[in-house]
Amino acid sequence: MTHEPGTVQLVHVEDIAPTEVVPGILHKPPPAVQRARGWVYDFAPGTRWPEETCTKPSKATPWWSGEFIDCGRRLTAGSFVVFAPGSTHGPLIQSVARMIGITLLK
C-alpha cells in the first residue's frame, strides 16, 4: 500500500484552535474530507448545550471523557451514542468532558 503525498492528514486534538459555542463549550473542528466531517467539543462542568438539537444526518458519538445527562440518561466516558436523523437532544454536562464524533455527509 502506498500513500500519495497530502492524502493523509494527522492532527492532535490539542493543536486545533477552538471556537467558543457558548461560555464553557468549545468546538475544535478537525480537518474534513469529502464525505465526512469530524468534530470535537470540550465542556466545562455545569454547562448545557445552548438549545435542543435536531439531528439532520445520523451521528455516531463516542463520549471520550467526563459525564453527561441526555434524554434522561447518565452517560460516562466510554459510552457510545448513535443519534438517528430527526432525533433531538440537549446534553447537560456534569464534569469536565470531551465529545468526539463523525458526521457522514451525502
Side-chain angles (χ1 to χ4, degrees):
M1 178 187 309
T2 62
H3 294 284
E4 297 296 321
T7 61
V8 176
Q9 297 181 62
L10 301 174
V11 63
H12 192 280
V13 171
E14 299 307 325
D15 295 334
I16 299 171
T19 56
E20 187 174 68
V21 177
V22 295
I25 301 177
L26 299 177
H27 175 231
K28 295 181 172 190
V33 294
Q34 185 178 15
R35 301 205 44 165
R37 176 177 43 88
W39 40 270
V40 177
Y41 289 99
D42 288 332
F43 299 88
T47 56
R48 180 181 290 278
W49 196 255
E51 72 275 343
E52 193 168 88
T53 301
C54 180
T55 302
K56 301 260 188 295
S58 294
K59 292 181 194 173
T61 305
W63 195 255
W64 198 255
S65 65
E67 177 178 285
F68 78 112
I69 298 171
D70 201 354
C71 301
R73 295 188 175 132
R74 182 177 301 276
L75 299 164
T76 57
S79 298
F80 194 82
V81 183
V82 177
F83 298 107
S87 65
T88 57
H89 53 97
L92 168 64
I93 311 309
Q94 297 293 94
S95 62
V96 172
R98 173 170 282 168
M99 179 187 280
I100 297 175
I102 297 172
T103 300
L104 300 177
L105 308 172
K106 291 185 177 185

